[in-house]
Amino acid sequence: MSHDPLQLGAAAAGSPALMERARLHRLLFWQMVPLRLPASARAGESCVGCARLLDGTAVELELPAPGPQRGCRDCYGSRVSWYITWYDWHHHYENCLACQRRRICFVGRGWRTRHERTITPAGQAPTRCYTCPRPLHATDAIVPVRWDSGSMLQLGYGHAGCVSERSRTR
């Protein structure tokens, strides 16, 4: 199965599942779109992610905001890749006892490395642990964390020790 983000967007556009495509767009851009969009982005002339002027390859987004919302292929593709690789890593972590017990797992490390390659292009940065206020560093044992903020699920990261300690205290 191909994980090419642009093919995924095109497949969704040709399918009858328009609600699912709209849901995907909300998930991809909910946290990644600046709170104050430039006038050109609100008018659909520039990308909602990077504010570059759009060409004919722009992706129409169904976001819960008034006006035309469009994203460039680079922003759309990088955000789909970030989302897919985060969930691939999270799925592995949730099902791998070695990862959950903070043991060496080369498969888990591979999923993390694959995901880390998408962070910068998607405009994301794992700056702080979900559980503690300490910053996250590339050399730390980090795991993907999903939590409910009340309005929607949040995707992020945590120190492996903090996350396993928190799950033991629940």
Side-chain angles (χ1 to χ4, degrees), residues 100-160:
Q100 292 172 18
R101 293 178 180 163
R102 293 186 285 157
R103 295 199 176 123
I104 295 173
C105 175
F106 294 110
V107 174
R109 180 65 189 162
W111 285 118
R112 174 183 170 177
T113 301
R114 185 172 172 227
H115 174 69
E116 286 175 339
R117 290 185 193 140
T118 70
I119 291 173
T120 301
Q124 295 293 311
T127 55
R128 299 226 173 259
C129 175
Y130 151 75
T131 306
C132 76
R134 294 182 319 198
L136 298 169
H137 302 288
T139 56
D140 293 340
I142 298 170
V143 297
V145 181
R146 182 175 63 190
W147 69 94
D148 188 352
S149 68
S151 61
M152 74 178 298
L153 285 177
Q154 301 288 323
L155 308 180
Y157 315 91
H159 293 108

Side-chain angles (χ1 to χ4, degrees), residues 29-49:
F29 285 89
W30 186 75
Q31 290 181 314
M32 300 178 193
V33 172
L35 292 176
R36 290 184 174 79
L37 289 173
S40 60
R42 287 193 310 272
E45 298 165 357
S46 67
C47 175
V48 297

